[in-house]
Amino acid sequence: MTSASACPRCLGRLRPPDLWSDQWRCDEHGDVSPWHEATVAPEEALRALAGTATVPVWVPSPMPVHWYVGGVGWAGGPRAGARSSGRAAPRPAPGGGPADMLLVAEAPGTGLGSRLAGLPGPDPEQLDALPEAKVEAAGHPTALWPVASPPDRAAFVGEAGGVWLWLLLWPADAALLLLEHLVLEDLRDRPTLAGGLLFGAPTDRLRTPAAARPEAGPS
């Protein structure tokens, strides 16, 4: 099962296609690719996504110790395929407590990565002159640039496979994880990798709205 269709940029409700348009439409952002999130059977959803997505379906390979898949989502319809794919991977943070990492691949203009980064537009407006991080994506060294984001998270973006590659981390100091050699593989090219992934308790990071979400304080 999947969540109801929502706007990838604001999570708002969408008007479905009708006699006058074959597009899903958000009252605020116009025509969009509908956002869905797997609510049950994430492993099955991830395998299906790898078979239909028009963008990479990035997964860490190997999955670092203590990490697991805690969410699977995509933006797109069954006929055109997913124009954006996202995976949430929780793990312990270097300084103690939980951390979350989100990997997003998306065609320009989709807006999922920008929402998760807390940006107002569908794409990053300007990248610094020099990247600050690097991962290996499908065998290629891939530079990542930091983007301005709310203080509760760290956001990086680069290009891989001809589309945006977003890497987002909560809390912000979880960016220390990028000191590790992070290797990403496209599940579309290596579908057998899905069998080696660990799946665990879901995280709600894929539902993070564009505005900064307040962190839970002591009760």
Side-chain angles (χ1 to χ4, degrees):
M1 293 181 62
T2 63
S3 60
S5 298
C7 176
R9 295 182 58 183
C10 67
L11 296 179
R13 296 181 63 180
L14 299 179
R15 284 183 282 169
D18 53 29
L19 293 175
W20 294 272
S21 174
D22 62 354
Q23 301 295 315
W24 291 81
R25 187 168 184 82
C26 171
D27 288 342
E28 182 176 355
H29 297 112
D31 293 345
V32 297
S33 298
W35 163 253
H36 305 275
E37 186 176 356
T39 55
V40 296
E43 182 174 359
E44 181 179 336
L46 188 59
R47 291 178 185 274
L49 179 61
T52 60
T54 63
V55 297
V57 181
W58 297 119
V59 294
S61 177
M63 181 70 82
V65 176
H66 304 308
W67 290 29
Y68 65 89
V69 177
V72 177
W74 61 94
R79 288 182 295 178
R83 288 172 44 85
S84 180
S85 68
R87 257 101 21 248
R91 64 159 289 177
D100 289 278
M101 180 179 71
L102 266 58
L103 293 168
V104 174
E106 68 177 347
T110 308
L112 171 62
S114 285
R115 166 173 59 86
L116 295 170
L119 306 181
D123 297 300
E125 293 183 357
Q126 182 176 351
L127 300 178
D128 292 338
L130 295 175
E132 290 190 4
K134 183 172 66 176
V135 298
E136 182 180 324
H140 300 284
T142 301
L144 297 175
W145 282 260
V147 296
S149 60
D152 66 335
R153 73 200 75 173
F156 299 85
V157 67
E159 182 274 328
V163 297
W164 293 122
L165 166 59
W166 290 89
L167 195 153
L168 307 109
L169 301 116
W170 285 262
D173 61 7
L176 292 172
L177 298 173
L178 293 178
L179 296 177
E180 302 177 10
H181 181 56
L182 186 61
V183 177
L184 306 179
E185 295 283 358
D186 186 353
L187 206 59
R188 300 179 304 169
D189 298 329
R190 298 186 60 190
T192 56
L193 287 175
L197 296 173
L198 296 176
F199 291 79
T203 174
D204 63 353
R205 290 301 185 188
L206 285 170
R207 293 185 291 277
T208 302
R213 186 183 64 179
E215 296 294 323
S219 57

